[in-house]
Amino acid sequence: MPNTAHSAHPAATAGTPPADDDFRDPLDRLLPPPAPGELFSLVDVVFPGQSNHHGTLFGGAALAMMDKFAFVLASRRLRRTVVTAALGHTQFRSPVPAGHLAEVSGRIVRSGRRSVDVEARLCAENMLTGERTTCLTGHFAMVAVGDDAPGTDSVPTLDAVPGDVVRVVEIVFPGQVNHRGILHGGQALDWLGKAALVAATRRARKPVAMASSETLDFVAPARVGDIVETRARVTAVGRSSLYVDVTMTAEAPQQAGSRLCTRAAFVFVAIDDAGRPTPVDAALPPGVAP
């Protein structure tokens, strides 16, 4: 289990600000520099309702995002019901402003038959400029409970995706389902729209607004407890419009394999400060793969 004790930074106790290098921790040596399109990440757009009076993401909400990431990673590794056993080595480095993208990435650094340790990092991204800042790092110990499935020594294989594909991972909780334990259609649309918004904004590097929904097909239900993954990609760009294809799949944490639940196509329009349509650059912005 990780050591959850925290000690004061020597520079802080001396009353002098620490140098930038003093903020480095073991996670910086384990993870490559954060960048869009990592093998697996969890993203969310920070809206005002998630912000404090300073206009930044609540610290508890940031920790909850990292815990959700650790849960998904541990569930896919162990294929069992997992819970958070401990949280340690947590360091808040920078706030996440409202309107920015919050993205959690990381990896499993130790794995047993019934437990895993996950190192995670939360970065903020200004979707209009592509600038990214490391905001929070932490170490999560996840433990399997019950005897619902045998342990496994295999490492899950996660398919690599192009850098311009946005992957949003969520967990279906009881408050998000109907009386039959099936995910509400409105909640599914919220997740589809959020992924599409991120993909369109990253491509345009300008504010965008949803103009229409071209297609929307509900293929299969997502149920309470499922891990839901939404993928979005810009497929065409007009003068000021962007066409985004989105798919949503679901998987049970204890079982390998996913099923297609929903597919949709949205049209977004880039807008200026006055809310009027504005041209989208034909060239790809930095950080967005072709």
Side-chain angles (χ1 to χ4, degrees):
M1 297 296 176
N3 177 13
T4 56
H6 297 272
S7 57
H9 194 284
T13 57
T16 58
D20 289 342
D21 289 343
D22 293 333
F23 281 116
R24 296 186 62 195
D25 59 25
L27 183 59
D28 291 328
R29 296 189 294 272
L30 292 169
L31 294 178
E38 296 204 25
L39 187 61
F40 169 65
S41 61
L42 186 153
V43 302
D44 198 3
V45 180
V46 180
F47 293 117
Q50 300 168 287
S51 307
N52 56 28
H53 59 289
H54 299 296
T56 59
L57 181 67
F58 284 111
L63 288 172
M65 280 191 65
M66 295 177 68
D67 183 62
K68 184 188 298 183
F69 172 85
F71 171 84
V72 173
L73 205 58
S75 296
R76 286 178 166 173
R77 170 66 179 88
L78 298 174
R79 290 303 174 189
R80 307 182 67 151
T81 301
V82 298
V83 296
T84 306
L87 167 62
H89 307 300
T90 304
Q91 189 171 40
F92 287 89
R93 303 180 175 201
S94 179
V96 184
H100 279 50
L101 182 75
E103 180 171 12
V104 181
S105 58
R107 64 179 64 183
I108 293 173
V109 294
R110 186 200 63 81
S111 180
R113 291 184 65 84
R114 297 184 62 90
S115 65
V116 296
D117 287 355
V118 176
E119 297 280 15
R121 165 173 31 209
L122 187 149
C123 295
E125 177 185 331
N126 184 329
M127 293 187 290
L128 303 183
T129 65
E131 181 182 0
R132 295 169 63 86
T133 304
T134 299
C135 298
L136 175 63
T137 57
H139 183 126
F140 292 78
M142 313 298 292
V143 176
V145 295
D147 297 318
D148 48 351
T152 175
D153 292 322
S154 63
V155 177
T157 57
L158 301 177
D159 54 320
V161 296
D164 62 341
V165 174
V166 174
R167 303 175 69 172
V168 177
V169 176
E170 299 284 353
I171 303 165
V172 181
F173 292 117
Q176 298 166 328
V177 300
N178 59 24
H179 60 287
R180 294 184 293 154
I182 294 174
L183 179 69
H184 285 295
Q187 184 64 66
L189 286 171
D190 178 65
W191 292 341
L192 291 164
K194 183 186 298 182
L197 171 69
V198 174
T201 306
R202 275 180 169 174
R203 174 61 182 83
R205 293 302 185 200
K206 296 179 179 180
V208 298
M210 185 181 293
S212 67
S213 172
E214 297 291 287
T215 61
L216 178 62
D217 298 318
F218 289 97
V219 180
R223 302 183 182 277
V224 65
D226 280 353
I227 296 171
V228 171
E229 179 171 317
T230 305
R231 299 188 184 191
R233 186 179 194 180
V234 175
T235 56
V237 178
R239 181 177 181 276
S240 61
S241 59
L242 305 100
Y243 297 79
V244 185
D245 284 347
V246 193
T247 60
M248 191 180 81
T249 59
E251 64 182 87
Q254 296 83 11
Q255 300 172 3
S258 61
R259 61 189 183 277
L260 176 65
C261 293
T262 312
R263 53 178 170 246
F266 298 103
V267 178
F268 285 81
V269 174
I271 56 176
D272 59 20
D273 292 340
R276 295 185 295 264
T278 186
V280 176
D281 293 335
L284 287 171
V288 176

